[in-house]
Amino acid sequence: MKPVIIFGAGTVARLAWRCFEEETPYSVAAFCVDDNRHNADTFCELPVLRSSELEARWPADACRMFVALGYQDLNRARQAAFEKYTALGYELVSCISSKAVINGGTVGKNCFVMEGAILQPFSSVEDDCICWSGCIVSHESRIGKHCFLAAHSVVGGMADIGDNTFLGMNATVRDTVRVGKHCLVGAGSLVLADLDDDSLVAEKATPVAACKARQALRFIEI
């Protein structure tokens, strides 16, 4: 089986490395970062490559890749890397914990589904999403591309979450609700009605209530 190169060298990358090595058939060979972020030669006792040298050392036909970036700028940083390496011909694989429950749901490319996450029957998680520990995607719901579902967030049955949306810890989206693209639903928030694109719901984060969703992640800690 081809080894995996993880793009990123931070918290998400470390967690993905552990999951790949201990809970999946894959093995990680190295990490990779943009040239201007290369500040160490090793991470988790594996080599850290500069992106400019990746194709020479690990061409697309010799490995698989996983982009392990967080929710910066409503997941746009992860989206950009996902699209870059897809265009270069790399196969992007998902990292799915053996302790997650994929009960008939489907998972796209470059998704990270952590322990305790539940995907109910007929649900779908599209490409490049992160489903943190304990989140629930209920039956017949769709999670669009490049989304981040934080710990213990809940998406009710037959709901639809638009691309590049962030659900904070313990956030809940009621069944059949449609959440637009590029939305931020803050920790502990309850969404009972449809949201337009670029909406922000911040239950307790009053100081950022007037901010656009794209800006709010600079101020909300989750």
Side-chain angles (χ1 to χ4, degrees), residues 2-4 9 41 44 52 56 66 85 97 105 125 157 175 181 183 196 199:
K2 295 178 183 178
V4 173
D41 292 327
C44 299
S52 60
F66 179 75
Y85 290 107
S97 171
V125 175
D175 56 294
K181 298 178 180 179
C183 292
D196 294 333
S199 293

Side-chain angles (χ1 to χ4, degrees), residues 13-196:
R14 189 192 305 273
L15 291 168
W17 163 76
R18 183 212 165 274
C19 186
F20 273 125
E21 292 289 344
E22 298 188 14
E23 301 186 56
T24 78
Y26 297 108
S27 181
V28 178
F31 294 86
C32 177
V33 296
D34 288 329
D35 288 20
N36 62 353
R37 292 185 176 273
H38 190 277
N39 54 23
D41 292 327
T42 61
F43 184 69
C44 299
E45 299 183 352
L46 291 174
V48 179
L49 309 177
R50 292 174 173 82
S51 57
S52 60
E53 62 182 339
L54 177 65
E55 289 184 276
R57 296 184 61 176
W58 285 100
D61 60 358
C63 66
R64 296 176 170 91
M65 286 198 71
F66 179 75
V67 176
L69 302 179
Y71 51 71
Q72 300 95 323
D73 196 17
L74 282 177
N75 307 294
R76 287 178 174 88
R78 193 173 71 254
Q79 176 185 358
F82 171 83
E83 292 175 347
K84 172 183 175 179
Y85 290 107
T86 296
L88 289 172
Y90 286 89
E91 178 187 355
L92 278 291
V93 296
S94 287
C95 184
I96 301 176
S97 171
S98 61
K99 300 178 182 67
V101 179
I102 313 297
N103 187 21
T106 61
V107 179
K109 301 175 183 177
N110 202 72
C111 291
F112 193 3
V113 183
M114 296 185 67
E115 70 278 1
I118 298 174
L119 275 60
Q120 291 188 340
F122 313 113
S123 63
S124 63
V125 175
E126 296 187 357
D127 294 344
D128 193 38
C129 290
I130 294 179
C131 298
W132 214 260
S133 304
C135 73
I136 299 175
V137 180
S138 298
H139 60 93
E140 300 165 281
S141 290
R142 184 191 75 94
I143 309 300
K145 298 178 180 178
H146 320 297
C147 289
F148 191 111
L149 277 57
H152 297 283
S153 56
V154 177
V155 177
M158 298 177 286
D160 189 275
I161 308 299
D163 296 351
N164 293 86
T165 285
F166 176 92
L167 302 185
M169 290 186 292
N170 295 304
T172 299
V173 176
R174 198 191 69 179
D175 56 294
T176 73
V177 164
R178 299 292 183 265
V179 174
K181 298 178 180 179
H182 311 112
C183 292
L184 189 155
V185 179
S189 298
L190 175 61
V191 179
L192 299 175
D194 292 356
L195 295 178
D196 294 333

